[in-house]
């Protein structure tokens, strides 16, 4: 018998079911589809959809707005992620710069503007959570990336310089030596690190459920257990009937290919689901935390090619995630999120590498899917003729970007010319993924290359990034 809970969406969602949710009845309940035409229908009850509903109803309190969700609010990546409200741009800065230049704009300036909006979005999101009384265990402790090899440290030094030149404020970044890292978190093999101060730890389920409660209270209708099957101009066809609207926004991320849609960039080969898995430990006692440190509750990651991401939770567990088995043949999605034993073992071993003397047990394992485009960059589109908009392709950096995308979609729908509608992810088309089995082979091959590169750098204590990793990054389109 498995000694830990496996799947069941996520630890975050399971824990949320034990807490009161003032805007909602029992999880899994439904609301009838509206009988009259709506001003706005949003497909997808994750963070993009709920933020779009929040800003739309705030702007027009009288508007008729409906959100349709296939399962339950937060069922997808919004309720399963690592809980980092981060200023990281969802994609490759070089690709966005090239896209801006193709439209006759200054590519470097466009990327700087994008980065500045991401930083503002983190600050504004915290303000809204306070204003609306949403308690999501938010804590601004920063993001600490640690290097466990000389090559990884060199990459962090390069990242530091690149971040400064692409719009990060100087006070947000600090390179740390080994001792400075261990004063914060006692990661044993750390040779140094890079601290990004603006990043915020959150509980993703508390965030998405709190936001859902707020928009319900403001008059937005949320229809769960209502799977959209087709989106056409003015009409969303669902498993429970049709709903008509003047404007439709598709906010389904990794599940984009499951809906027959007239929106550009939402086909089965435009966005694919890439899996990311997580485990969470038991609650660790105070004497353990005295050894580990982590008093600042920073979001913790590493600079490996097969990187991991972690947080110290509000109730003193460690939640750590990584890619594991990255992709299911023919773009399969993870359902309730069961994780294979090998991935659980790999994440446990990474935690033991960081903290060799840590006494812990795994209490819950789960996985979810992030939406990934062929160039690993996000895109926001809106067609004035059909009045269908879409946002997709956050590639694992969506907790902050979802809100920025939602606001951008609403500006586009209102035909406003704003700083957001000029960002380089607007109408960015990433191309299509290869057909199967080339797609499966390519994704798995890329992650195998990164794994080989990490082992090579660790075994040789290399000071330079492996040529294997450089090849893999260029093959995948990840190089800047």
């Amino acid at each position: 018998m498995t000694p830990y809970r496996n799947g069941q969406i996520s630890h975050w969602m399971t824990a949320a079911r034990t807490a009161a949710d003032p805007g909602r009845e029992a999880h899994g309940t439904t609301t009838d589809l509206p009988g009259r035409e709506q001003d706005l229908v949003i497909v997808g009850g994750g963070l993009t959809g709920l933020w779009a509903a929040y800003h739309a109803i705030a702007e027009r309190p009288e508007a008729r707005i409906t959100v349709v969700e296939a399962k339950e609010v937060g069922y997808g990546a919004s309720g399963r992620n690592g809980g980092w409200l981060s200023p990281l741009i969802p994609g490759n800065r070089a690709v966005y710069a090239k896209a801006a230049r193709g439209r006759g704009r200054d590519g470097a300036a466009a990327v700087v503007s994008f980065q500045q909006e991401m930083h503002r979005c983190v600050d504004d999101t915290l303000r809204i959570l306070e204003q609306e009384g949403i308690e999501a265990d938010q804590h601004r402790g920063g993001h600490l990336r640690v290097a466990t090899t000389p090559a990884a440290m060199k990459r962090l030094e390069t990242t530091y310089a690149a971040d400064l030149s692409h719009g990060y404020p100087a006070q947000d970044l600090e390179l740390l030596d080994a001792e400075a890292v261990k004063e914060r978190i006692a990661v044993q093999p750390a040779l140094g690190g890079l601290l990004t101060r603006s990043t915020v730890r959150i509980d993703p389920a508390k965030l998405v459920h709190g936001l859902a409660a707020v928009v319900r209270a403001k008059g937005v209708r949320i229809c769960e257990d209502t799977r959209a099957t087709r989106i056409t101009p003015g009409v969303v066809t669902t498993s429970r009937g049709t709903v008509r609207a003047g404007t439709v926004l598709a906010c389904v991320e990794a599940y984009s290919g499951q809906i027959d849609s007239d929106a550009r960039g939402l086909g089965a080969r435009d966005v694919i689901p890439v899996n990311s898995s997580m485990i969470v430990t038991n609650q660790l006692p105070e004497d353990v935390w005295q050894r580990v440190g982590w008093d600042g509750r920073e979001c913790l990651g590493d600079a490996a090619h097969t990187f991991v991401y972690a947080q110290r939770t509000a109730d003193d567990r460690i939640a750590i995630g990584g890619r594991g088995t990255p992709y299911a043949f023919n773009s399969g999605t993870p359902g309730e999120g069961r994780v294979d034993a090998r991935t659980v073992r790999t994440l446990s071993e990474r935690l033991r590498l960081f903290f060799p003397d840590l006494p812990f047990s795994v209490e819950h394992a789960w996985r979810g899917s992030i939406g990934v485009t062929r160039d690993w960059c996000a895109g926001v589109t809106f067609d004035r003729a059909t009045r269908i908009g879409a946002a997709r392709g956050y590639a694992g950096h969506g907790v902050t970007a979802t809100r920025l995308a939602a606001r951008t979609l609403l500006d586009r729908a209102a035909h406003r010319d704003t700083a957001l509608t000029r960002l380089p992810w607007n109408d960015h088309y990433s191309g299509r993924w290869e057909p199967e089995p080339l797609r499966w082979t390519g994704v798995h091959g890329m992650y195998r290359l990164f794994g080989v590169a990490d082992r090579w750098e660790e075994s040789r204590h290399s000071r330079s990034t492996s040529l294997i990793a450089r090849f893999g990054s260029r093959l995948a389109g990840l190089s800047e």
Side-chain angles (χ1 to χ4, degrees), residues 124 207 211 227 332 352 374:
D124 289 347
L207 173 59
L211 187 56
R227 180 180 298 279
R352 289 191 183 94
R374 186 60 184 86

Side-chain angles (χ1 to χ4, degrees), residues 225-257:
D225 294 329
T226 306
R227 180 180 298 279
T229 56
R230 180 164 173 73
I231 299 173
T232 53
V235 180
V236 177
T237 304
T238 80
S239 57
R240 298 174 57 225
T242 60
V243 57
R244 297 183 178 277
T247 300
V248 178
L249 302 181
C251 306
V252 286
E253 184 57 343
Y255 299 85
S256 297

Side-chain angles (χ1 to χ4, degrees), residues 50-96:
L50 293 174
W51 278 123
Y54 175 85
H55 287 290
I57 200 70
E59 187 175 314
R60 291 183 56 206
E62 78 285 358
R64 297 187 298 273
I65 300 171
T66 293
V67 177
V68 297
E69 162 57 41
K71 293 287 188 179
E72 63 179 275
V73 164
Y75 178 84
S78 295
R80 308 189 194 205
N81 63 75
W84 293 16
L85 183 66
S86 158
L88 285 166
I89 285 178
N92 187 314
R93 292 181 290 211
V95 172
Y96 288 130

Side-chain angles (χ1 to χ4, degrees), residues 104-158:
R105 298 175 54 207
D106 183 327
V111 171
V112 168
S113 295
F114 200 172
Q115 187 60 69
Q116 291 171 342
E117 290 295 345
M118 288 293 292
H119 271 86
R120 273 192 285 269
C121 195
V122 173
D123 293 338
D124 289 347
T125 300
L126 286 178
R127 177 184 53 77
I128 290 172
L129 297 189
E130 181 178 3
Q131 172 187 309
E132 299 292 354
I134 297 174
E135 177 47 60
D137 294 339
Q138 56 267 36
H139 175 79
R140 178 168 261 166
H143 167 199
L144 178 58
R145 275 172 282 190
V146 299
T148 59
T149 67
M153 191 65 220
K154 190 173 180 180
R155 286 195 294 274
L156 288 183
E157 291 166 355
T158 301

Side-chain angles (χ1 to χ4, degrees), residues 150-193:
M153 191 65 220
K154 190 173 180 180
R155 286 195 294 274
L156 288 183
E157 291 166 355
T158 301
T159 298
Y160 172 74
D163 286 350
L164 287 175
S165 67
H166 286 97
Y168 276 75
Q171 65 271 21
D172 194 33
L173 299 174
E174 184 180 0
L175 277 171
L176 305 177
D177 62 19
E179 284 306 309
V181 168
K182 291 172 184 176
E183 285 177 9
R184 288 177 171 271
I185 310 175
V187 178
Q188 288 305 306
L191 303 180

